[in-house]
Amino acid sequence: MDTSPSALLRLFLPKVPFIVKIVLWHSLWLSPTSSKWDLRTELLVHIIRSLLDNPVPTPLAKQQRWSLKDPGIKGKMWISKVTLPQPDEDDIGRILVEAIDSLGDGKGIYTVPAIVPIEAEWTGYRANVQHDRPRLDLPESQHYERLMAEVSSPVTILYFHGGAHYLMDVASHRIPTSRLAHLTNGRSFSVRYRLAPQKPFPCALLDAFQAYLSLMFPPPGSFHEPVPAKHIVLAGDSAGGNIALALLQLILQINRLATWEHLRFHGRLLDLPIPVPAGLAGTSAWADITRCMPSVVSNARWDYLPPPLTNDKISTFPHDEIWPTDPPRGDLYCDLSMLCHPLVSPLAAKSWMGSCPMWLGYGEEMLADEGKSVATLAAQQGVTVIWEQFEAMPHCFSMIFDQLKAGRRCFKDWADFCGMVAGNAAVEGAAEIKTKGTWFAAKTCQEMDVDVRSLAVCSQEEVAQKMRSTAEARMQDNEGEGKIMPKL
């Protein structure tokens, strides 16, 4: 978005009375959140909420353009920009379709996507420079060499950025990915997956799948050497966490089907089953596109994401060059018939057996209940799950509120998990990870153990029913222009 002084003045000047009211209420302990938040947090949450819940919707194309502006590269990060060529073979697309169809009910509608080149960025930590140090004018291959010269761990974080599947970019997430690289002494590989609504499901999932295989089996001309799966962690925030969970579920389903012995990829025959990554690490992962779980409403006071609009308050987004779609579609990310599909909403997955260890971090946010259900089912099925929830913290707080003790602790634990499952200690057998759940009190971060196997607020049958009911209601109310918009 436009961050010039004049643009910021136009944005915030009308909100001055609103800001004064927040400050006054917080100072007098009249705000319901005063006991859990400091003033800065209170202000930021309310301001972000007011921007996201604008009564006059901004056209989607304009929102997308704002979010895709590159902030530039400077300071303590190495960035090497790459393009992964698409394979000549179509096996990855065919096996994706087979997995989608095998997990569906036969009624879902989607378009088989083309396999395309994928842009991505290698990210590493650049030590001993000032925060405003400009990027060196070097070929991308030399940036990669400089990056690798400062990497001392085999940890490779395959990162998917958040943004509701239609916003943001690898450029917008360079700070968290470089921070993860720094804390793990490793590197991040951030994928510029195709965005909705122009490129709906399963485009982003296909890009993620291709990127994962490309790490392990580099296409011709790649900068990197083959990365074993035991050193790869799937990671993401919000919608990126959704893609990470869906990618893991896709790998598990392909291996469950066992209908292919080999996969052709850039002239090679890859033996199946597909190696499972070392771990999955998601912060505020969006597991339920239907947004049907109770916390979507009950935790709204702690979050900046507005709850789903009721039928009598549904607002229509202005028509522009990307919305409504042609042919019309009822949701930004997918056809409404796909909302309950496990590769769209991983909350609907029936099995995580065979999964790698998971780290799931949430605030007391609107998406918390869906995360709890995923964690509970996986743990009950024998998957190692580390669950962390922070009282009174909003969506993606560890990436936004790094001045808070909770934000710093959550981000550190996120990175520590990546290092434990994919670093040298994990390979040498020195790191033992056990299922563990922790609730962190507001402000103090005092810890309380929780049982991961009983976190879920609903049974799997109740979850399935809630998802079906919400999806059916969306389909009944839909008039072909997707009036209920996700706001993540």
Side-chain angles (χ1 to χ4, degrees), residues 83-104:
T83 300
L84 302 173
Q86 77 271 33
D88 294 331
E89 309 89 349
D90 64 353
D91 285 18
I92 61 172
R94 290 169 53 214
I95 203 168
L96 170 66
V97 168
E98 185 174 328
I100 293 172
D101 292 347
S102 67
L103 286 169

PDB file of all heavy atoms in Angstrom, residues 83-104:
ATOM      1  N   THR A  83      13.871 -18.716 -10.176  1.00  0.00           N
ATOM      2  CA  THR A  83      12.684 -19.221 -10.856  1.00  0.00           C
ATOM      3  C   THR A  83      12.873 -20.706 -11.102  1.00  0.00           C
ATOM      4  O   THR A  83      13.850 -21.119 -11.746  1.00  0.00           O
ATOM      5  CB  THR A  83      12.439 -18.500 -12.189  1.00  0.00           C
ATOM      6  OG1 THR A  83      12.248 -17.104 -11.954  1.00  0.00           O
ATOM      7  CG2 THR A  83      11.197 -19.060 -12.881  1.00  0.00           C
ATOM      8  N   LEU A  84      11.965 -21.507 -10.555  1.00  0.00           N
ATOM      9  CA  LEU A  84      12.014 -22.955 -10.758  1.00  0.00           C
ATOM     10  C   LEU A  84      11.273 -23.285 -12.052  1.00  0.00           C
ATOM     11  O   LEU A  84      10.072 -22.995 -12.172  1.00  0.00           O
ATOM     12  CB  LEU A  84      11.340 -23.676  -9.592  1.00  0.00           C
ATOM     13  CG  LEU A  84      11.901 -23.418  -8.194  1.00  0.00           C
ATOM     14  CD1 LEU A  84      11.005 -24.085  -7.147  1.00  0.00           C
ATOM     15  CD2 LEU A  84      13.325 -23.922  -8.077  1.00  0.00           C
ATOM     16  N   PRO A  85      11.951 -23.884 -13.034  1.00  0.00           N
ATOM     17  CA  PRO A  85      11.250 -24.224 -14.282  1.00  0.00           C
ATOM     18  C   PRO A  85      10.249 -25.341 -14.064  1.00  0.00           C
ATOM     19  O   PRO A  85      10.419 -26.184 -13.177  1.00  0.00           O
ATOM     20  CB  PRO A  85      12.394 -24.675 -15.196  1.00  0.00           C
ATOM     21  CG  PRO A  85      13.444 -25.190 -14.264  1.00  0.00           C
ATOM     22  CD  PRO A  85      13.359 -24.322 -13.036  1.00  0.00           C
ATOM     23  N   GLN A  86       9.183 -25.327 -14.848  1.00  0.00           N
ATOM     24  CA  GLN A  86       8.227 -26.411 -14.747  1.00  0.00           C
ATOM     25  C   GLN A  86       8.794 -27.655 -15.438  1.00  0.00           C
ATOM     26  O   GLN A  86       9.548 -27.543 -16.403  1.00  0.00           O
ATOM     27  CB  GLN A  86       6.880 -26.029 -15.365  1.00  0.00           C
ATOM     28  CG  GLN A  86       6.842 -26.068 -16.885  1.00  0.00           C
ATOM     29  CD  GLN A  86       7.260 -24.752 -17.511  1.00  0.00           C
ATOM     30  OE1 GLN A  86       8.099 -24.042 -16.979  1.00  0.00           O
ATOM     31  NE2 GLN A  86       6.681 -24.455 -18.665  1.00  0.00           N
ATOM     32  N   PRO A  87       8.462 -28.840 -14.942  1.00  0.00           N
ATOM     33  CA  PRO A  87       8.916 -30.056 -15.618  1.00  0.00           C
ATOM     34  C   PRO A  87       8.191 -30.244 -16.941  1.00  0.00           C
ATOM     35  O   PRO A  87       7.049 -29.800 -17.114  1.00  0.00           O
ATOM     36  CB  PRO A  87       8.559 -31.160 -14.618  1.00  0.00           C
ATOM     37  CG  PRO A  87       7.410 -30.610 -13.841  1.00  0.00           C
ATOM     38  CD  PRO A  87       7.654 -29.131 -13.753  1.00  0.00           C
ATOM     39  N   ASP A  88       8.852 -30.897 -17.879  1.00  0.00           N
ATOM     40  CA  ASP A  88       8.185 -31.211 -19.150  1.00  0.00           C
ATOM     41  C   ASP A  88       7.081 -32.236 -18.946  1.00  0.00           C
ATOM     42  O   ASP A  88       6.079 -32.231 -19.658  1.00  0.00           O
ATOM     43  CB  ASP A  88       9.212 -31.747 -20.156  1.00  0.00           C
ATOM     44  CG  ASP A  88      10.236 -30.700 -20.568  1.00  0.00           C
ATOM     45  OD1 ASP A  88       9.887 -29.507 -20.552  1.00  0.00           O
ATOM     46  OD2 ASP A  88      11.376 -31.081 -20.901  1.00  0.00           O
ATOM     47  N   GLU A  89       7.252 -33.102 -17.952  1.00  0.00           N
ATOM     48  CA  GLU A  89       6.261 -34.138 -17.692  1.00  0.00           C
ATOM     49  C   GLU A  89       5.080 -33.556 -16.903  1.00  0.00           C
ATOM     50  O   GLU A  89       5.219 -32.562 -16.202  1.00  0.00           O
ATOM     51  CB  GLU A  89       6.887 -35.289 -16.886  1.00  0.00           C
ATOM     52  CG  GLU A  89       8.177 -35.818 -17.471  1.00  0.00           C
ATOM     53  CD  GLU A  89       9.411 -35.078 -16.960  1.00  0.00           C
ATOM     54  OE1 GLU A  89       9.246 -34.019 -16.301  1.00  0.00           O
ATOM     55  OE2 GLU A  89      10.527 -35.563 -17.217  1.00  0.00           O
ATOM     56  N   ASP A  90       3.939 -34.190 -17.007  1.00  0.00           N
ATOM     57  CA  ASP A  90       2.745 -33.709 -16.303  1.00  0.00           C
ATOM     58  C   ASP A  90       2.369 -34.575 -15.111  1.00  0.00           C
ATOM     59  O   ASP A  90       1.255 -34.489 -14.591  1.00  0.00           O
ATOM     60  CB  ASP A  90       1.556 -33.617 -17.266  1.00  0.00           C
ATOM     61  CG  ASP A  90       1.127 -34.983 -17.815  1.00  0.00           C
ATOM     62  OD1 ASP A  90       1.827 -35.981 -17.563  1.00  0.00           O
ATOM     63  OD2 ASP A  90       0.088 -35.036 -18.500  1.00  0.00           O
ATOM     64  N   ASP A  91       3.305 -35.415 -14.627  1.00  0.00           N
ATOM     65  CA  ASP A  91       2.973 -36.350 -13.554  1.00  0.00           C
ATOM     66  C   ASP A  91       2.514 -35.661 -12.281  1.00  0.00           C
ATOM     67  O   ASP A  91       1.598 -36.137 -11.598  1.00  0.00           O
ATOM     68  CB  ASP A  91       4.177 -37.242 -13.245  1.00  0.00           C
ATOM     69  CG  ASP A  91       4.399 -38.310 -14.297  1.00  0.00           C
ATOM     70  OD1 ASP A  91       3.851 -38.155 -15.413  1.00  0.00           O
ATOM     71  OD2 ASP A  91       5.118 -39.286 -14.026  1.00  0.00           O
ATOM     72  N   ILE A  92       3.144 -34.536 -11.905  1.00  0.00           N
ATOM     73  CA  ILE A  92       2.762 -33.897 -10.639  1.00  0.00           C
ATOM     74  C   ILE A  92       1.338 -33.364 -10.701  1.00  0.00           C
ATOM     75  O   ILE A  92       0.618 -33.383  -9.698  1.00  0.00           O
ATOM     76  CB  ILE A  92       3.750 -32.793 -10.216  1.00  0.00           C
ATOM     77  CG1 ILE A  92       3.824 -31.666 -11.262  1.00  0.00           C
ATOM     78  CG2 ILE A  92       5.124 -33.365  -9.953  1.00  0.00           C
ATOM     79  CD1 ILE A  92       4.635 -30.474 -10.797  1.00  0.00           C
ATOM     80  N   GLY A  93       0.909 -32.906 -11.878  1.00  0.00           N
ATOM     81  CA  GLY A  93      -0.468 -32.465 -12.023  1.00  0.00           C
ATOM     82  C   GLY A  93      -1.447 -33.618 -11.992  1.00  0.00           C
ATOM     83  O   GLY A  93      -2.511 -33.540 -11.359  1.00  0.00           O
ATOM     84  N   ARG A  94      -1.091 -34.717 -12.640  1.00  0.00           N
ATOM     85  CA  ARG A  94      -1.981 -35.882 -12.681  1.00  0.00           C
ATOM     86  C   ARG A  94      -2.131 -36.521 -11.305  1.00  0.00           C
ATOM     87  O   ARG A  94      -3.238 -36.902 -10.903  1.00  0.00           O
ATOM     88  CB  ARG A  94      -1.445 -36.898 -13.688  1.00  0.00           C
ATOM     89  CG  ARG A  94      -1.556 -36.452 -15.139  1.00  0.00           C
ATOM     90  CD  ARG A  94      -0.772 -37.361 -16.069  1.00  0.00           C
ATOM     91  NE  ARG A  94      -1.149 -38.759 -15.864  1.00  0.00           N
ATOM     92  CZ  ARG A  94      -0.303 -39.779 -15.973  1.00  0.00           C
ATOM     93  NH1 ARG A  94       0.975 -39.558 -16.241  1.00  0.00           N
ATOM     94  NH2 ARG A  94      -0.733 -41.013 -15.787  1.00  0.00           N
ATOM     95  N   ILE A  95      -1.039 -36.620 -10.566  1.00  0.00           N
ATOM     96  CA  ILE A  95      -1.133 -37.266  -9.244  1.00  0.00           C
ATOM     97  C   ILE A  95      -1.857 -36.343  -8.248  1.00  0.00           C
ATOM     98  O   ILE A  95      -2.539 -36.825  -7.331  1.00  0.00           O
ATOM     99  CB  ILE A  95       0.266 -37.666  -8.739  1.00  0.00           C
ATOM    100  CG1 ILE A  95       0.144 -38.798  -7.705  1.00  0.00           C
ATOM    101  CG2 ILE A  95       1.030 -36.474  -8.150  1.00  0.00           C
ATOM    102  CD1 ILE A  95       1.470 -39.456  -7.371  1.00  0.00           C
ATOM    103  N   LEU A  96      -1.738 -35.024  -8.451  1.00  0.00           N
ATOM    104  CA  LEU A  96      -2.509 -34.090  -7.624  1.00  0.00           C
ATOM    105  C   LEU A  96      -4.000 -34.281  -7.854  1.00  0.00           C
ATOM    106  O   LEU A  96      -4.785 -34.358  -6.899  1.00  0.00           O
ATOM    107  CB  LEU A  96      -2.105 -32.646  -7.947  1.00  0.00           C
ATOM    108  CG  LEU A  96      -2.984 -31.541  -7.350  1.00  0.00           C
ATOM    109  CD1 LEU A  96      -2.864 -31.522  -5.829  1.00  0.00           C
ATOM    110  CD2 LEU A  96      -2.621 -30.178  -7.928  1.00  0.00           C
ATOM    111  N   VAL A  97      -4.412 -34.377  -9.111  1.00  0.00           N
ATOM    112  CA  VAL A  97      -5.824 -34.576  -9.428  1.00  0.00           C
ATOM    113  C   VAL A  97      -6.332 -35.878  -8.826  1.00  0.00           C
ATOM    114  O   VAL A  97      -7.441 -35.936  -8.268  1.00  0.00           O
ATOM    115  CB  VAL A  97      -6.032 -34.558 -10.957  1.00  0.00           C
ATOM    116  CG1 VAL A  97      -7.427 -35.062 -11.323  1.00  0.00           C
ATOM    117  CG2 VAL A  97      -5.809 -33.155 -11.506  1.00  0.00           C
ATOM    118  N   GLU A  98      -5.527 -36.925  -8.920  1.00  0.00           N
ATOM    119  CA  GLU A  98      -5.939 -38.210  -8.347  1.00  0.00           C
ATOM    120  C   GLU A  98      -6.133 -38.103  -6.840  1.00  0.00           C
ATOM    121  O   GLU A  98      -7.097 -38.651  -6.286  1.00  0.00           O
ATOM    122  CB  GLU A  98      -4.887 -39.275  -8.668  1.00  0.00           C
ATOM    123  CG  GLU A  98      -5.280 -40.666  -8.218  1.00  0.00           C
ATOM    124  CD  GLU A  98      -4.298 -41.738  -8.676  1.00  0.00           C
ATOM    125  OE1 GLU A  98      -3.709 -41.575  -9.766  1.00  0.00           O
ATOM    126  OE2 GLU A  98      -4.123 -42.734  -7.942  1.00  0.00           O
ATOM    127  N   ALA A  99      -5.230 -37.390  -6.171  1.00  0.00           N
ATOM    128  CA  ALA A  99      -5.360 -37.219  -4.722  1.00  0.00           C
ATOM    129  C   ALA A  99      -6.598 -36.391  -4.368  1.00  0.00           C
ATOM    130  O   ALA A  99      -7.331 -36.719  -3.424  1.00  0.00           O
ATOM    131  CB  ALA A  99      -4.100 -36.564  -4.160  1.00  0.00           C
ATOM    132  N   ILE A 100      -6.836 -35.306  -5.112  1.00  0.00           N
ATOM    133  CA  ILE A 100      -8.015 -34.475  -4.858  1.00  0.00           C
ATOM    134  C   ILE A 100      -9.283 -35.292  -5.008  1.00  0.00           C
ATOM    135  O   ILE A 100     -10.176 -35.279  -4.142  1.00  0.00           O
ATOM    136  CB  ILE A 100      -8.036 -33.264  -5.816  1.00  0.00           C
ATOM    137  CG1 ILE A 100      -6.885 -32.300  -5.517  1.00  0.00           C
ATOM    138  CG2 ILE A 100      -9.373 -32.526  -5.717  1.00  0.00           C
ATOM    139  CD1 ILE A 100      -6.726 -31.190  -6.539  1.00  0.00           C
ATOM    140  N   ASP A 101      -9.376 -36.036  -6.103  1.00  0.00           N
ATOM    141  CA  ASP A 101     -10.592 -36.803  -6.369  1.00  0.00           C
ATOM    142  C   ASP A 101     -10.785 -37.918  -5.341  1.00  0.00           C
ATOM    143  O   ASP A 101     -11.916 -38.208  -4.931  1.00  0.00           O
ATOM    144  CB  ASP A 101     -10.540 -37.389  -7.780  1.00  0.00           C
ATOM    145  CG  ASP A 101     -10.635 -36.308  -8.853  1.00  0.00           C
ATOM    146  OD1 ASP A 101     -10.993 -35.156  -8.520  1.00  0.00           O
ATOM    147  OD2 ASP A 101     -10.333 -36.619 -10.028  1.00  0.00           O
ATOM    148  N   SER A 102      -9.696 -38.524  -4.899  1.00  0.00           N
ATOM    149  CA  SER A 102      -9.816 -39.623  -3.940  1.00  0.00           C
ATOM    150  C   SER A 102     -10.253 -39.143  -2.566  1.00  0.00           C
ATOM    151  O   SER A 102     -10.842 -39.906  -1.794  1.00  0.00           O
ATOM    152  CB  SER A 102      -8.482 -40.368  -3.826  1.00  0.00           C
ATOM    153  OG  SER A 102      -7.482 -39.545  -3.233  1.00  0.00           O
ATOM    154  N   LEU A 103      -9.998 -37.892  -2.238  1.00  0.00           N
ATOM    155  CA  LEU A 103     -10.389 -37.339  -0.943  1.00  0.00           C
ATOM    156  C   LEU A 103     -11.752 -36.654  -0.977  1.00  0.00           C
ATOM    157  O   LEU A 103     -12.286 -36.280   0.069  1.00  0.00           O
ATOM    158  CB  LEU A 103      -9.338 -36.333  -0.461  1.00  0.00           C
ATOM    159  CG  LEU A 103      -8.023 -36.911   0.060  1.00  0.00           C
ATOM    160  CD1 LEU A 103      -6.985 -35.806   0.234  1.00  0.00           C
ATOM    161  CD2 LEU A 103      -8.239 -37.646   1.382  1.00  0.00           C
ATOM    162  N   GLY A 104     -12.289 -36.465  -2.168  1.00  0.00           N
ATOM    163  CA  GLY A 104     -13.542 -35.737  -2.301  1.00  0.00           C
ATOM    164  C   GLY A 104     -14.756 -36.633  -2.301  1.00  0.00           C
ATOM    165  O   GLY A 104     -14.663 -37.859  -2.171  1.00  0.00           O
TER     166      GLY A 104
END
